[in-house]
Amino acid sequence: MAAHLKKRVYEEFSKVSQQQQVSLEEVPAKKLRLTKPSKSAALHIDLCKATSPTDALQYLLHFAWKPVETESVEGVVRILLEHYYKESDNSVRLKIASLLGLLLKSQGFAPVCVVDDAINTLNNEKSHQVLAQLLDTLLIIGTQLPDKIAIIQRLIDVACKHLSSTYFRVRNKCLQLLGCLGTVDKPLSKETDAGPGAQTSHVRDVQSVISDYFQDQDPRVRTAAFKAMACKLLSDDYEQVRSAAVQMVWIRLVDDSFGKICHMVCDGSWVVRVQAAKLLGSMHQVSPHFLEQTLDKKLMSDLRRKRTAHERAKELYASGEFSSGRRWADDAPKEKVDTSGVNLIDSGACGAFVHGLEDEMYEVRIAAVEALCSLAQPSPSFAEKCLDFLVDMFNDEIEEVQLQSIHVLRQILTHITLREDQLDTVLAVLEDSSRDIREALHELLCYTNVSTKECIQLALVELLKNLTKYPTDRNSVWKCLKFLGARHPTLVLPIVPELLSTHPYFDTPEPDMDDPAYIAVLVLVFNAAKSCPTMPALFSDHTFRHYAYLRDSLSHLVPHLRVRNLPASGVGSSSLESAQNFLQDSLIRVSALQNLETPGAQDLLEFTIRFEPLIDLQRLGELQTELAGSADFCATYLHCQLLLTKALQEKIWTMAVPLCLKQNAKVSTAARQILDETYKLEFLYSGLETQQIAAIHNVRLQAKALQLILTARSKRGVDCVLGVCEKFLQDVESFQRHFMTELPHFQDSFVEKLLELMPRLTACKPLDLVKILQTTLRQSKFIHLKLPEQIHRASATIIEPTGESDNPLRFTSGLVVALDIDATLEHVQDPQTTVKVQVLYPDGQSHIIHPKPGDFRTPGPGRVRLITQVYLSHSAWTEACQIEVRLLLAYSSSSSKPSASKPAWNESMDGLATSESCIEGTIHLSKPVKVFIMPKPARR
């Protein structure tokens, strides 16, 4: 019995043990969760440690620079509110209120949970500045919760309650809150309705409450009230209020606001007039009826209709009569206007632009001209009506107004065909002594449409007079006639015999090809003949010879003509499409090379760049001006590859260094030249995409690798090579960082092989790195360079000084003499900071002058005019010598490091000022001009 009982107990114990084991296996393992330290707890500890308001401010300022996660925002807000109630210092409470507003802007955070606490903070606040900041916080809450109608109504009630504050900033914030959150259709509560005086018991809306503050004694409050609700106080006696009114009325009904703003063009303050004129130009939805009223003064003469001077001049021109001076008051108003039928909007808009264009302040006139342009571009009918007014502005006394009027008219000329009298007024400006004005007018005539052959003759005669009086305008006049002929082939055709002085029966003398006026006529005729196949039949034999000469020497001005008398000449006789195909085929042919050591690589590169007998890249750029930038870019890029190929085929790689010092110097020069060419490719050409810039940096890395290999071969010791190796590896890492997205286009290239070997390169010794670089450089493959649609090459031409004068500039040694510089820049990006003037003296001294920003002007799209002075000084010379003056393009390839990212909620914190990048090098932008100078010794 005892044995049986013992066996039973053992079985029960075993069964319980098995059950416990199973239950232990079923219990899941506990997981550890890593949490970030609480921002609210850290802030609470910091604020509790503060022993003075200054300490608390320091902790708050330090906290403002730290990012706050969305899930921690509510806790931080609670901590700030807790310390807000405890704090007695106004400056600390003000900073806490500011931080509350910034925190509530955090993305993903809904401020519903802190609405009650935020409103309660205003109840016992005595400081006006803190109160204004808290109201700003409530405005942030309201803008974050636009769908919460009950919360919006509570915030509006709070704003109305504090409208009676004596502090202007509190009233400003209340008005701002009402303007942003209030609605027109919902009235205010009776108990919360407030005005400047005591509270009233009747129900009012938000607009009526805001309008009570239009007459506030503080102009800053009046300004805030109008910003909350527009269309009032346009006649306020305070300039700032009227300015705010002009801004805010723009958002109201277009026609009504257009009339009101037109009325402000006659305001007593020129600042308001400028702002009104600018805003008129932005109102494109205004009705044509109101728009045309701005050019009419009919209702401005004692409610009598009166013809404008333009109408009278047009009538006289149509009748063929001229004013005799005998008729007195012939423009007197003839009929009365019914005062009851006068529309107030019409009377406000009437003559607005006429007043603006005749304003005494040139800033107002410029703003009116720009507004006319903006409104005329989408409206051909209005563009035609405002033409006379814009042409009249060509005679303004201020050059800046004249230039702006010419630029504006150029933009709207696509809608307009000029009459002969209008063209005559335009051409009269060619007599102006300012080169900027004349060149701007030449640019204008390029886009001009005329109606008769007499207009073409008139334009040609005036342009030839301009060419005779100002010979330096030659290129600009030729370009103008090129476009004028191309736009009017049918009008040029009837006058070709007269222009070329040909006769159907008699031979005429051959004109002088050195005459710029004759070249101007030929440019006009040849460009018209491009679209008129019957015109070449009127040419004489010498005209065909002159065409062949000009086609070769001035290919950018003379187009290709399909004429039987002339042989085809390679690319010159082909279309632009054929030239583009040739350019792409050249690049594809070169990219087929396996690596730089491929047999025949050097011959192919030379053949492609400049040695092909009929067609090459350099010639292509001369014959097809549209592809000049692309052709030059390709030629320069392939020249870098050619230099690299020649350098790798030198004997230096198979001989000892002491036996090939000459070849070593030759390869070093080639590497330096490749680097210079890559900087030209990157900074001298505009329109490049990221892929082309990455290809340039790949070639630059190859040149730097070549320099590193030469340094290791010519210098002994590891220390001298170690720094160069580290710098090279940094350049490779920089390439990977900036051009990561372009790496798929660089298969089997030099840079891709380097990135694959990067772990090995960073760990190996300098001499092993040099060996790897030499092998990789030889085995790297050419990259297929895909060109963008348009590439422009930056260039500059120095107009003055011409360098043709033999009379030296004489001045006393030790003193200075001013040399006037006049140059034209084409396709230069940011010229105010990149363009420099270099003066090179005969003794090797070089001075670089930085022109002032005001010395740069913009006469046309893509063109910049530099008019400046440089001051020369030197010690005494025994005889006059020449100095060289040229323009340089400064560049810096070091990209600025990104600044430390600020938290998203901290929008108001000012970042640290970034230092300007220093100039790394310069590129020659223009050809040098030689000037004679003669420093004389000072008299004793």
Side-chain angles (χ1 to χ4, degrees), residues 296-508:
D296 196 355
K297 275 189 169 182
K298 290 177 182 177
L299 296 177
M300 291 297 185
S301 181
D302 298 327
L303 295 180
R304 291 168 174 258
R305 296 197 178 275
K306 181 178 179 179
R307 290 184 304 166
T308 63
H310 298 286
E311 292 173 337
R312 298 195 302 273
K314 185 176 180 180
E315 181 181 346
L316 287 174
Y317 176 80
S319 64
E321 298 179 4
F322 294 93
S323 176
S324 62
R326 295 180 180 178
R327 289 179 293 180
W328 178 261
D330 59 343
D331 64 335
K334 298 296 186 294
E335 75 278 6
K336 290 276 188 179
V337 175
D338 183 11
T339 57
S340 62
V342 177
N343 192 326
L344 292 180
I345 295 181
D346 288 353
S347 64
C350 268
F353 280 123
V354 177
H355 286 287
L357 296 174
E358 296 175 355
D359 197 277
E360 61 180 351
M361 303 296 293
Y362 81 93
E363 293 90 349
V364 181
R365 300 199 296 274
I366 290 178
V369 166
E370 293 174 348
L372 272 178
C373 170
S374 180
L375 293 173
Q377 280 181 325
S379 175
S381 60
F382 184 69
E384 191 169 353
K385 287 181 173 63
C386 68
L387 174 62
D388 288 323
F389 296 91
L390 290 175
V391 170
D392 280 349
M393 299 306 294
F394 288 7
N395 301 317
D396 195 276
E397 59 185 3
I398 303 297
E399 182 177 329
E400 189 175 349
V401 181
Q402 291 179 288
L403 279 173
Q404 192 61 31
S405 303
I406 295 173
H407 294 331
V408 162
L409 188 57
R410 184 187 68 232
Q411 298 177 43
I412 65 174
L413 269 181
T414 53
H415 304 308
I416 300 171
T417 299
L418 292 181
R419 303 190 309 268
E420 188 175 350
D421 62 315
Q422 294 170 332
L423 181 63
D424 192 21
T425 306
V426 171
L427 293 173
V429 186
L430 289 174
E431 299 290 332
D432 198 288
S433 60
S434 171
R435 183 178 181 126
D436 289 343
I437 297 291
R438 298 195 306 273
E439 287 192 352
L441 195 68
H442 297 157
E443 193 80 23
L444 168 67
L445 292 174
C446 292
Y447 300 90
T448 300
N449 299 315
V450 296
S451 54
T452 63
K453 64 178 183 179
E454 288 76 14
C455 293
I456 295 292
Q457 288 177 312
L458 177 63
L460 179 60
V461 169
E462 295 298 327
L463 287 170
L464 293 181
K465 289 181 181 178
N466 175 197
L467 190 60
T468 303
K469 188 174 181 180
Y470 302 103
T472 55
D473 291 355
R474 181 179 62 183
N475 292 327
S476 183
V477 169
W478 288 349
K479 177 186 174 184
C480 172
L481 289 170
K482 168 190 174 182
F483 287 94
L484 201 62
R487 295 177 76 92
H488 306 92
T490 57
L491 299 181
V492 175
L493 178 61
I495 59 175
V496 167
E498 181 181 352
L499 296 179
L500 298 179
S501 300
T502 58
H503 194 276
Y505 306 116
F506 303 105
D507 286 338
T508 55

Side-chain angles (χ1 to χ4, degrees), residues 46-47 49-62 87-93 95:
D46 288 340
L47 292 177
K49 290 191 301 183
T51 58
S52 64
T54 304
D55 293 342
L57 277 177
Q58 290 294 331
Y59 288 128
L60 291 173
L61 289 172
H62 182 68
E87 186 59 52
S88 59
D89 187 79
N90 291 341
S91 59
V92 178
R93 294 205 310 277
K95 185 59 182 176

Side-chain angles (χ1 to χ4, degrees), residues 83-235:
H83 284 272
Y84 174 86
Y85 291 120
K86 296 179 182 179
E87 186 59 52
S88 59
D89 187 79
N90 291 341
S91 59
V92 178
R93 294 205 310 277
L94 179 63
K95 185 59 182 176
I96 291 176
S98 174
L99 289 177
L100 286 174
L102 295 173
L103 284 167
L104 295 178
K105 292 182 182 179
S106 299
Q107 187 176 5
F109 175 71
V112 181
C113 56
V114 296
V115 172
D116 294 333
D117 294 322
I119 293 177
N120 291 334
T121 55
L122 281 79
N123 295 335
N124 300 320
E125 183 57 58
K126 303 299 181 183
S127 171
H128 295 302
Q129 293 182 340
V130 179
L131 194 60
Q133 187 63 51
L134 290 173
L135 287 168
D136 190 64
T137 302
L138 294 185
L139 176 60
I140 294 173
I141 294 176
T143 54
Q144 297 285 336
L145 304 172
D147 300 330
K148 306 293 183 180
I149 306 300
I151 294 177
I152 296 295
Q153 187 60 42
R154 289 184 63 188
L155 298 179
I156 291 176
D157 295 343
V158 172
C160 292
K161 178 181 177 182
H162 290 86
L163 270 173
S164 57
S165 174
T166 58
Y167 186 51
F168 79 93
R169 194 162 292 170
V170 174
R171 301 203 299 277
N172 284 358
K173 291 298 180 182
C174 291
L175 291 170
Q176 185 180 358
L177 194 148
L178 288 175
C180 293
L181 304 182
T183 56
V184 179
D185 55 346
K186 189 173 182 59
L188 298 175
S189 304
K190 289 184 178 180
E191 61 273 12
T192 60
D193 181 22
Q199 293 183 350
T200 57
S201 59
H202 60 281
V203 177
R204 303 173 63 197
D205 56 12
V206 173
Q207 285 184 322
S208 61
V209 172
I210 295 176
S211 64
D212 290 340
Y213 292 86
F214 287 163
Q215 305 297 331
D216 194 275
Q217 61 181 357
D218 195 315
R220 293 166 290 190
V221 178
R222 298 201 300 268
T223 305
F226 197 87
K227 286 183 177 180
M229 185 182 66
C231 298
K232 296 284 186 180
L233 293 186
L234 282 170
S235 58

Side-chain angles (χ1 to χ4, degrees), residues 78 90 116 180 373 580 643 659 668 683 713 792 843:
R78 300 290 181 191
N90 291 341
D116 294 333
C180 293
C373 170
Q580 291 175 333
L643 291 174
L659 300 178
S668 179
F683 298 104
R713 287 174 58 87
H792 294 291
D843 59 356

